[in-house]
Amino acid sequence: MSTAHLVGRFVADRARAVPSAVAIDGGGVPVTYGELHERSAALAARLRAAGYSVGDVVTRPGCDTDAGELLGLCRRELASFKVPVAVEFVAELPRSGLDKVLRRELRRRERDRHRPHCENSEEGAL
């Protein structure tokens, strides 16, 4: 089981047992286990609604993490069959009018990226 799963389970267990106990004291602003659990559940729901799923890696804008760091983390925390072959950073994800991530568009872009391109070919020519 990954560290992230263990931490998530620990927070959920503490939120049930002692929801008012302080989990984090961020600069004099205490956050209880109950609040931490509620906030993380709300964030997970927002990410799912935006089209992300378990295993997707999400970073904040301006994050200085590089692909090597992310792949290293995945190798340490995930089963080998779940580790991505490559990581690509994009400025913006394609989204629908409902702000959902257009996964089909991402798959099409990936296929197009790996499809060989012939500059001097004409369509229909033999």
Side-chain angles (χ1 to χ4, degrees), residues 29-123:
V29 180
V31 178
T32 67
Y33 281 101
E35 292 170 321
L36 184 59
H37 185 64
E38 287 174 19
R39 290 179 187 184
S40 63
L43 175 59
R46 286 179 52 207
L47 290 171
R48 281 192 303 273
Y52 296 98
S53 62
V54 173
D56 289 344
V57 178
V58 179
T59 62
R60 70 182 188 279
C63 179
D64 61 356
T65 299
D66 66 15
E69 282 182 283
L70 287 175
L71 286 172
L73 173 69
C74 290
R75 287 185 186 106
R76 287 190 307 276
E77 299 291 330
L78 300 174
S80 61
F81 69 92
K82 292 183 178 181
V83 175
V85 174
V87 173
E88 179 183 354
F89 292 94
V90 294
E92 193 172 294
L93 293 171
R95 296 188 177 277
S96 72
L98 298 173
D99 206 32
K100 302 274 187 180
V101 174
L102 298 173
R103 289 179 177 268
R104 278 189 197 157
E105 174 63 16
L106 289 173
R107 284 190 291 273
R108 185 196 61 74
R109 288 181 187 180
E110 184 66 13
R111 275 192 315 270
D112 289 351
R113 216 169 58 128
H114 294 289
R115 185 175 293 150
H117 297 284
C118 299
E119 291 181 26
N120 295 326
S121 67
E122 294 181 24
E123 246 181 86

